[in-house]
Amino acid sequence: QSALTQPASVSGSPGQSITISCTGTGSDVGDYDYVSWYQQHPGKAPKLLIYEVSYRPSGVSNRFSGSKSGSTASLTISGLQAEDEADYYCASYTTTSPLGVFGGGTKLTVL
Amino acid sequence: EVQLVESGGGLVQPGGSLRLSCAASGFTFSSYWMNWVRQAPGKGLEWVANIKEGGSERSYVDSVKGRFTISRDNAKNSLYLQMNSLRAEDTAVYYCVRSYAPAAIPNFDYWGQGTLVTVSS
């Protein structure tokens, strides 16, 4: 069982917006702004989309945005495109381990 | 261009050993924390180990403590993972990953393509 909880799947139609949640505790997401998000297409390595809750690395589309409220972080993808169909993972710093923790992953289906 | 290229994966029997390598290029390797992250077939990501820029600090996930050792050779721009006493549950793709933040902050900006380790008799 992952330390961070994500929905197993979400779906949306092209052009729509979707949000993926990542729920932790006060030992990780709740007390620290060190949440990152990764996109992984089948057979490929993960790609960093968001770091420190809401910052986008250079080259990442501004259709991807991150936020946090309490112990839940969220990734929002606006203007859904077919190429966004992938698995998405959150990760967070935690005080309960010398390493951070990942969420279980969310499969995004673009209908 | 930043590149991380893993090697050393393969099929090994339970109880056996394997050493993974990661060749880094395109950046000042000695200035970054480095990590190994694994992904079991059809499963999610798991942060396995990390090592500080100069190698003075290392951390491991509980499930591999005492069995795996992370190391680096900054003169050769290389990261390693020595895996001993391998178990079936260690079967996974192992990724070499660069952090641009220290220690346990998961800001993983570059990933290798991964190398598959299969533990089976």
Side-chain angles (χ1 to χ4, degrees), chain A residues 39-42 82-88 106-109:
Chain A
Q39 177 191 60
Q40 186 180 34
H41 288 107
E83 68 208 48
D84 299 331
E85 187 160 290
D87 294 325
Y88 292 82
T106 298
K107 180 175 181 59
L108 169 62
T109 301

Side-chain angles (χ1 to χ4, degrees), chain A residues 37-77:
Chain A
W37 289 91
Y38 301 86
Q39 177 191 60
Q40 186 180 34
H41 288 107
K44 300 294 187 181
K47 172 188 174 183
L48 178 64
L49 294 177
I50 298 288
Y51 66 97
E52 293 173 22
V53 175
S54 61
Y55 293 93
R56 261 190 322 273
S58 173
V60 172
S61 171
N62 60 9
R63 296 187 300 107
F64 296 93
S65 62
S67 61
K68 190 185 86 166
S69 177
S71 295
T72 298
S74 299
L75 173 71
T76 297
I77 309 174

Side-chain angles (χ1 to χ4, degrees), chain B residues 1-53:
Chain B
E1 178 193 7
V2 171
Q3 285 199 319
L4 299 168
V5 180
E6 302 95 337
S7 60
L11 175 64
V12 62
Q13 293 188 337
S17 298
L18 214 53
R19 188 195 196 207
L20 305 184
S21 299
C22 171
S25 61
F27 65 102
T28 305
F29 180 72
S30 59
S31 297
Y32 290 85
W33 282 74
M34 294 297 296
N35 310 266
W36 289 100
V37 174
R38 70 183 177 184
Q39 186 171 36
K43 302 297 184 182
L45 301 170
E46 181 179 41
W47 195 349
V48 175
N50 70 359
I51 185 168
K52 194 175 180 179
E53 298 96 326

Side-chain angles (χ1 to χ4, degrees), chain A residues 6-47:
Chain A
Q6 298 181 233
S9 63
V10 298
S11 63
S13 299
Q16 287 185 331
S17 294
I18 64 95
T19 297
I20 299 172
S21 60
C22 171
T23 301
T25 68
S27 298
D28 39 66
V29 176
D31 263 7
Y32 302 92
D33 288 340
Y34 294 128
V35 178
S36 53
W37 289 91
Y38 301 86
Q39 177 191 60
Q40 186 180 34
H41 288 107
K44 300 294 187 181
K47 172 188 174 183

Side-chain angles (χ1 to χ4, degrees), chain B residues 34-92:
Chain B
M34 294 297 296
N35 310 266
W36 289 100
V37 174
R38 70 183 177 184
Q39 186 171 36
K43 302 297 184 182
L45 301 170
E46 181 179 41
W47 195 349
V48 175
N50 70 359
I51 185 168
K52 194 175 180 179
E53 298 96 326
S56 61
E57 293 181 28
R58 313 169 195 212
S59 294
Y60 302 89
V61 68
D62 283 348
S63 59
V64 309
K65 278 180 185 175
R67 300 188 299 122
F68 289 13
T69 302
I70 188 172
S71 62
R72 65 192 296 163
D73 185 336
N74 287 343
K76 294 183 177 179
N77 292 335
S78 293
L79 178 72
Y80 307 100
L81 187 67
Q82 177 66 45
M83 304 185 295
N84 299 328
S85 303
L86 282 161
R87 306 167 180 166
E89 54 264 35
D90 296 318
T91 294

